[in-house]
Amino acid sequence: FGIEMALGRSPDIAINHDAEAIALHAANHPTSKHYREDIWKVDPLEATGGRPVGLMWLSPDCKHFSKAKGGKPVSKKIRGLAWVVIKWAKLVRPRVIYLENVEEFQTWGPLGADNRPCPLKKGRTFKRWKSSLENLGYTVGFREDRASDMGTPTIRKRLFLVARRDAMPITWPAPTHAAKPARGSGLKPWRTAAECIDWSLPCPSIFDRDRPLAEATMRRIARGLQRYVFEAADPFIVRIGHT
C-alpha cells in the first residue's frame, strides 16, 4: 500500500515464496503480476519484459539477523538472501532501490567455525554488499528510523536503505511525531496501536487458552499493567459495551 500511495499505482511485479503472502497481496493489488517463487529462481529479464525499472523494493528475510529471534543466526542461505539485490541491479538496473530490514542487518558478516557470526568480522559482508551496489553506479544511503516518528503506531526500529543511479539526491522525511514532543516543536505525540483496534469485535481471552501462557509472557503482562494502568497518571483502560 505504501508504494501505491506514493506512486498512485500498484507495483507491476510482486515476488514471495509464501502462498499466504502472495494471496494477500493479490487480493489488494489484482493488477500486479505475482510470482509465488524463490526470488533466486525468477529471471529478472523475463519478469520485467525488457521494460525500464523505476523502483525496486526489497525486504529480505530478517529473522536470522534480528535480536528478537532469541538466538543468533545460523542459516547461510537466508543470511545471504540480500545478494539477490545485486543480481537484479546488474540485470535490470532499477533507477531507485529501497531496502528495509532490522537494524542488525548492518552487522552482516561471515560465520565462524562454530556456524555463528564472527564478532571480529562484524559488518564486513554488509560493507562488501554495499560496495557492490556502488560499483554498479549507485549512490547508497541508509539510516535507522522508527515509523512511529512518521505517524505510524509502531516503535520498532528499522534500517532503511536507498540506492539510486539517477543523479538525484537521497532525501529523508522529517519526523512528524515524537514520544514526548518538546513544546513549540510542532511534533505530535506518538500514535498508539489501540487506535487501530476495533474493540467491539469479539475476541477470546488469552487467559482461556488450553495451554497456559509462559511464565515470561505473564511477567511481561504484569509489567505492562503496572506501568500503563496501576501506576500511570492516565491509565489505559479499554471501554467495552457491557460494562
Side-chain angles (χ1 to χ4, degrees), residues 145-216:
D145 264 328
R146 284 186 170 92
S148 51
D149 290 339
M150 310 298 168
T152 300
T154 173
I155 62 172
R156 288 184 176 180
K157 188 185 294 183
R158 287 292 183 267
L159 177 75
F160 295 92
L161 181 143
V162 181
R164 57 190 315 161
R165 57 186 299 272
D166 56 2
M168 297 293 287
I170 294 173
T171 58
W172 302 97
T176 55
H177 294 65
K180 296 180 179 179
R183 187 185 300 274
S185 66
L187 299 177
K188 299 177 181 179
W190 277 350
R191 296 177 59 204
T192 66
E195 299 176 36
C196 307
I197 299 173
D198 185 347
W199 298 100
S200 68
L201 295 176
C203 180
S205 170
I206 60 172
F207 299 106
D208 294 335
R209 293 159 34 113
D210 293 334
R211 181 181 177 183
L213 293 170
E215 284 297 321

Side-chain angles (χ1 to χ4, degrees), residues 83 86 89-90 93 126-140 163-165:
W83 283 112
I86 309 303
K90 284 180 178 178
R93 299 284 178 143
F126 174 77
K127 292 176 182 176
R128 185 158 58 92
W129 175 86
K130 176 176 170 287
S131 294
S132 297
L133 276 174
E134 293 169 336
N135 292 337
L136 291 171
Y138 286 90
T139 299
V140 181
R164 57 190 315 161
R165 57 186 299 272

Side-chain angles (χ1 to χ4, degrees), residues 221-238:
I221 293 172
R223 285 198 298 269
L225 288 169
Q226 194 73 25
R227 180 176 179 181
Y228 295 107
V229 181
F230 306 141
E231 297 178 350
D234 181 20
F236 177 74
I237 300 174
V238 177

Side-chain angles (χ1 to χ4, degrees), residues 1-7 9-16 25 29 39 48 53-61 81-82 84-86 88-89 92-102 129 138 141 143 145 147 158-163 171-173:
F1 280 120
I3 292 175
E4 184 170 335
M5 291 172 64
L7 303 181
R9 53 173 294 185
S10 288
D12 293 296
I13 300 166
I15 305 171
N16 199 297
H25 194 277
H29 304 280
I39 191 171
T48 58
V53 179
L55 169 68
M56 181 170 70
W57 179 285
L58 301 109
S59 296
D61 193 311
L81 187 58
V84 79
V85 178
I86 309 303
W88 281 69
V92 297
R93 299 284 178 143
R95 184 166 60 86
V96 181
I97 297 173
Y98 289 117
L99 183 140
E100 173 268 339
N101 213 300
V102 293
W129 175 86
Y138 286 90
R143 76 175 191 179
D145 264 328
R158 287 292 183 267
L159 177 75
F160 295 92
L161 181 143
V162 181
T171 58
W172 302 97

